[in-house]
């Protein structure tokens, strides 16, 4: 919903990662997944220490933008911690 889309930046800013994940995953299911949504989902899972889930989303991000080498660092961190 539009409300959730507007709420999401605040949840991320104030580190309500699980609430953000709930909204992001709903948005991904109901809209075309965007780079920004998938990347934010990966970041949230990483911040919660859920590295296997973060890795899944980082791999999706890398498929969408393989020119950003910082994603490889995040993928490496997830492998090391999962």
């Amino acid at each position: 919903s539009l409300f959730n889309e507007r709420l999401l930046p605040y949840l991320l800013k104030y580190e309500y990662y699980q609430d953000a994940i709930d909204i992001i995953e709903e948005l991904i299911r109901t809209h075309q997944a965007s780079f920004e949504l998938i990347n934010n989902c990966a970041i949230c899972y990483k911040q919660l220490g859920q590295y296997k889930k973060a890795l899944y989303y980082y791999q999706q991000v890398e498929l969408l933008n393989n020119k950003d080498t910082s994603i490889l660092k995040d993928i490496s961190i997830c492998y090391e911690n999962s």
Side-chain angles (χ1 to χ4, degrees):
S1 76
L2 184 58
F3 174 76
N4 284 343
E5 290 178 47
R6 290 183 177 167
L7 179 62
L8 186 57
Y10 297 100
L11 294 174
L12 294 169
K13 180 179 179 180
Y14 295 106
E15 301 179 1
Y16 290 98
Y17 297 121
Q18 187 58 58
D19 293 327
I21 287 169
D22 295 341
I23 291 173
I24 292 168
E25 289 184 336
E26 179 64 26
L27 291 171
I28 288 172
R29 279 192 297 276
T30 58
H31 298 85
Q32 185 173 359
S34 69
F35 173 85
E36 183 179 6
L37 282 176
I38 296 169
N39 191 53
N40 282 335
C41 199
I43 291 167
C44 288
Y45 276 121
K46 186 175 92 174
Q47 292 298 328
L48 291 173
Q50 296 182 32
Y51 295 103
K52 287 183 181 181
K53 289 183 179 181
L55 179 60
Y56 169 79
Y57 284 103
Y58 277 126
Q59 289 171 333
Q60 301 304 310
V61 168
E62 205 241 339
L63 289 174
L64 294 171
N65 183 7
N66 61 5
K67 293 181 174 107
D68 185 351
T69 56
S70 69
I71 295 167
L72 296 176
K73 179 181 176 186
D74 291 317
I75 288 173
S76 174
I77 290 168
C78 290
Y79 273 122
E80 290 172 9
N81 290 287
S82 62

